[in-house]
Amino acid sequence: MTKFIFVTGGVISSLGKGIAAASIGALLEDRGYKITLQKFDPYLNVDPGTMSPFQHGEVYVADDGTETDLDLGHYERFTSSRSTKFHNQTAGKIYNSVLTKERRGDYLGKTVQVIPHVTDEIKHSIKKIADDADVLIAEIGGTVGDIESLPFLEAIRQFGLEHPRDEVLYIHLTFVPYIKAADELKSKPTQHSVKQLREIGIQPDIILCRTDRELPESIKDKIALFCNIRKEAVFEARDVSNIYFVPIMFEQQGLDNTICQHLALRKQGRGLKKWKELRTKIENPSDVVEIGIVGKYVDYADSYKSLNEALAHAGFANRLDVKLRWFDSSMFEKDESSLALLKEVGGILIPGGFGGRGIEGMLLAIEYARLNKIPFFGICLGMQLATVEFARNVAGLADANSTEFDENPPYRIIYKLRELLDVEEMGGNMRLGAYACTIQSKDSFAYKAYRQKDIEERHRHRYEFNMAFRKELEEAGLKFTGISPDGKFVEIVELDDHPWYLGCQFHPEFKSKPLKPQPLFVDFIKASYMNREEKAK
Ligand code: GLN
């Protein structure tokens, strides 16, 4: 029988509801339960894939190709829950299916309403993915009190009524601010937020209080009294120096015990052994390595969320503290001498990206990494540009380009997927989700990292390497070390005679976890550190 945990948020946004939900998932997994995590986003966009990374942070891609909210990235990083298109529902998606049913006549001429039709659709979407999980944790996006979240809150209220008491648990994450002038923590915002929740008919079973300091007993008493909840059910969600310490912080207060008691789950925890070992590693790095990221959205750290995390994970694995230094590539276009700044970093990474701005600057940075033997990691756009740089500067194909940036270049090194020979048009025309790749030789950076030939990684791009140029570039020295099993797509390119130079068409960052760091990142960080060490000699 599946149990359900609903996580709501109050007072303000950005309290870390996604991380709280993911950490609860990690706690339950530690007890041996199979969990699944689901996110409800109250906005009307049908999918987050089309939303600007500036506004909304990264688009996270699941194995099945669904473009989701970045919180689903946290879910997969903290737990072994796998996301699919059913794990991220937006109000837009829900309404879309209600309206489709209405057009089809499924409602037999009845008046179609938020209650029951929209709320039924929401409840249905929860039950649909619950089957093989012991516990389903659903996070309701937004803040209690938003007009947009109402149908979701109403749906989870009904859900509680329709299930036995020990099958459904409501957790509310609120904010307890510290007011400096009064030297006091304030519980009033929490009281108000819970009051709003209760007006809708939801009595939280557990309150998590986001705070920057210890909650005194007196505040817990007050919250318990005014929010109609037992004091033992008021927990701290205190700021921690690293998000991966959150599961431990919760466990130390016994949050998992309270959850399990309520849901009549009896298995004991294993004490978060792996998470505690990880914490020791994170807290005791042996040294620091700096990585230069040359990109376009450099001012928006959230647009590269998974990338940042994957680099940090690789640092944990190498016992290194990874510092990131962001370079806006257009800087190199304006002033080539600024490329010398790249000498100061251990390794250079060019992440994914879309659109023409800053491309020439990225090409300059790649050339610099190639010539100066600085470890280089090109991801998606970064890989495409590595082949363009190589074509232009090594293979002598002047003005070679991707048709994304030049409609009619003399050499179309990177070509639009659907224009490629033998490839039928794809819906939405992006290659999205997990695809297989075969590593071609054991003598490659890729094989050394993965230690296996057959791998699978996630994609999100429109353009591909044009196979017509494979032979020519190979003869000039570029190695094609990863190819799709059908032989149609280039997945990984490398250079010999370089400490570490690898470009991949996929996004390896989406599958990296703190307890299971992604191999390419691990080796890139190792090579970057060795590069610095050697230069320091
Ligand atoms: N713009 C390139 C493409 O669409 C690369 C995309 C990416 O880096 N994710 O193919």
Side-chain angles (χ1 to χ4, degrees):
M1 184 62 72
T2 309
K3 310 276 178 165
F4 299 87
I5 300 179
F6 295 111
V7 182
T8 55
V11 187
I12 50 172
S13 59
S14 304
L15 290 179
K17 220 178 331 139
I19 291 178
S23 299
I24 291 167
L27 286 173
L28 294 171
E29 242 181 34
D30 187 63
R31 290 188 174 233
Y33 291 106
K34 186 164 179 340
I35 57 126
T36 193
L37 283 131
Q38 185 174 30
K39 169 100 195 262
F40 288 101
D41 281 310
Y43 48 73
L44 288 170
N45 304 60
V46 174
D47 76 71
T50 47
M51 294 170 84
S52 159
F54 292 111
Q55 240 192 41
H56 200 71
E58 160 184 281
V59 174
Y60 183 76
V61 181
D63 272 343
D64 71 348
T66 311
E67 298 173 287
T68 73
D69 182 86
L70 56 76
D71 273 324
L72 279 88
H74 293 311
Y75 301 168
E76 291 201 349
R77 284 187 283 271
F78 277 79
T79 70
S80 43
S81 154
R82 282 293 192 90
S83 302
T84 68
K85 65 178 176 204
F86 303 117
H87 291 75
N88 187 195
Q89 297 288 347
T90 67
K93 244 193 218 178
I94 297 284
Y95 275 89
N96 207 17
S97 62
V98 170
L99 293 175
T100 308
K101 286 183 185 165
E102 190 274 336
R103 293 287 80 192
R104 231 175 22 213
D106 290 9
Y107 298 118
L108 306 172
K110 287 199 199 104
T111 311
V112 180
Q113 294 177 297
V114 172
I115 307 172
H117 301 102
V118 171
T119 48
D120 278 354
E121 193 67 35
I122 296 170
K123 288 185 289 181
H124 176 70
S125 76
I126 299 169
K127 287 180 203 149
K128 192 171 179 155
I129 58 164
D131 268 358
D132 60 340
D134 299 319
V135 185
L136 181 147
I137 305 167
E139 175 192 349
I140 315 296
T143 309
V144 170
D146 295 347
I147 292 179
E148 293 182 318
S149 334
L150 279 173
F152 292 106
L153 296 173
E154 169 59 19
I156 62 168
R157 178 193 72 81
Q158 294 172 13
F159 202 99
L161 271 189
E162 292 160 7
H163 289 79
R165 197 64 199 95
D166 67 357
E167 278 179 24
V168 179
L169 178 78
Y170 298 99
I171 299 184
H172 189 55
L173 174 68
T174 75
F175 182 44
V176 180
Y178 171 73
I179 305 297
K180 201 167 167 211
D183 185 26
E184 252 184 87
L185 280 164
K186 291 292 182 188
S187 69
K188 193 68 100 193
T190 298
Q191 295 177 35
H192 279 295
S193 150
V194 172
K195 191 167 158 225
Q196 265 181 317
L197 204 53
R198 294 176 65 204
E199 271 166 16
I200 305 168
I202 297 174
Q203 167 65 51
D205 301 302
I206 288 174
I207 297 180
L208 302 178
C209 304
R210 181 72 191 264
T211 157
D212 68 352
R213 62 202 64 213
E214 195 181 337
L215 283 189
E217 293 302 310
S218 58
I219 287 273
K220 284 193 181 171
D221 284 332
K222 216 165 169 181
I223 291 174
L225 180 64
F226 284 93
C227 299
N228 190 36
I229 183 170
R230 282 174 202 280
K231 188 176 165 191
E232 309 84 74
V234 181
F235 290 87
E236 264 173 30
R238 201 167 344 155
D239 296 356
V240 282
S241 56
N242 189 299
I243 53 168
Y244 300 117
F245 300 165
V246 175
I248 303 172
M249 188 245 313
F250 284 159
E251 188 237 16
Q252 282 166 345
Q253 299 174 68
L255 175 62
D256 49 332
N257 286 333
T258 306
I259 292 174
C260 288
Q261 248 167 27
H262 184 103
L263 293 175
L265 296 170
R266 301 195 202 290
K267 288 188 205 168
Q268 285 308 306
R270 284 167 289 193
L272 291 181
K273 193 164 164 272
K274 288 198 172 135
W275 289 97
K276 287 176 184 163
E277 283 165 12
L278 176 73
R279 182 177 63 181
T280 309
K281 276 194 205 166
I282 297 177
E283 283 177 335
N284 303 290
S286 62
D287 210 341
V288 185
V289 62
E290 194 175 35
I291 300 299
I293 302 190
V294 181
K296 186 166 95 167
Y297 310 119
V298 294
D299 292 332
Y300 301 87
D302 263 5
S303 30
Y304 292 119
K305 189 82 201 153
S306 296
L307 179 74
N308 297 346
E309 294 305 314
L311 285 163
H313 304 161
F316 307 157
N318 284 294
R319 287 237 165 185
L320 291 169
D321 185 10
V322 178
K323 291 248 180 301
L324 306 183
R325 189 151 147 202
W326 299 82
F327 296 91
D328 183 343
S329 59
S330 42
M331 169 173 94
F332 303 135
E333 293 167 14
K334 284 180 210 129
D335 173 14
E336 281 196 29
S337 69
S338 60
L339 281 166
L341 290 172
L342 294 174
K343 262 214 174 87
E344 295 165 16
V345 298
I348 296 172
L349 189 148
I350 307 233
F354 293 83
R357 188 165 66 77
I359 292 300
E360 293 299 320
M362 293 178 208
L363 289 167
L364 288 170
I366 297 171
E367 183 182 12
Y368 193 85
R370 181 172 57 77
L371 295 176
N372 293 284
K373 307 232 183 282
I374 303 173
F376 167 78
F377 195 3
I379 296 180
C380 204
L381 175 69
M383 171 270 187
Q384 297 176 351
L385 293 179
T387 62
V388 169
E389 192 277 325
F390 188 86
R392 284 188 192 177
N393 300 332
V394 183
L397 305 177
D399 297 322
N401 214 335
S402 158
T403 53
E404 184 177 6
F405 315 119
D406 179 352
E407 261 177 41
N408 209 1
Y411 308 101
R412 297 162 178 246
I413 299 296
I414 303 293
Y415 214 164
K416 206 170 213 163
L417 181 57
R418 64 181 152 82
E419 288 166 341
L420 271 167
L421 238 55
D422 284 353
V423 180
E424 67 282 13
E425 177 134 7
M426 303 176 76
N429 76 35
M430 274 231 215
R431 185 142 76 103
L432 280 168
Y435 284 88
C437 161
T438 313
I439 294 177
Q440 305 293 304
S441 121
K442 288 198 167 174
D443 179 25
S444 62
F445 294 124
Y447 187 85
K448 281 178 196 137
Y450 284 104
R451 308 226 148 262
Q452 66 191 66
K453 267 182 72 189
D454 298 312
I455 57 164
E456 210 182 79
E457 295 284 0
R458 298 182 191 168
H459 291 246
R460 181 172 187 257
H461 54 101
R462 232 169 242 118
Y463 296 80
E464 300 283 349
F465 178 78
N466 187 351
M467 280 293 192
F469 288 96
R470 176 172 175 183
K471 200 157 169 272
E472 203 166 345
L473 297 195
E474 224 156 25
E475 279 166 10
L478 190 65
K479 286 172 67 182
F480 293 83
T481 58
I483 305 284
S484 62
D486 61 8
K488 283 184 184 157
F489 300 116
V490 168
E491 297 283 348
I492 307 176
V493 297
E494 298 183 17
L495 278 184
D496 269 341
D497 191 26
H498 195 284
W500 207 85
Y501 182 106
L502 183 146
C504 53
Q505 184 58 81
F506 46 80
H507 287 274
E509 67 271 30
F510 290 137
K511 278 175 53 175
S512 186
K513 298 169 189 252
L515 299 178
K516 211 173 149 207
Q518 207 284 341
L520 294 177
F521 281 93
V522 174
D523 279 13
F524 169 62
I525 290 297
K526 193 192 284 168
S528 301
Y529 181 65
M530 273 156 50
N531 167 45
R532 287 309 293 162
E533 284 298 279
E534 259 154 46
K535 292 216 170 110
K537 270 184 206 156

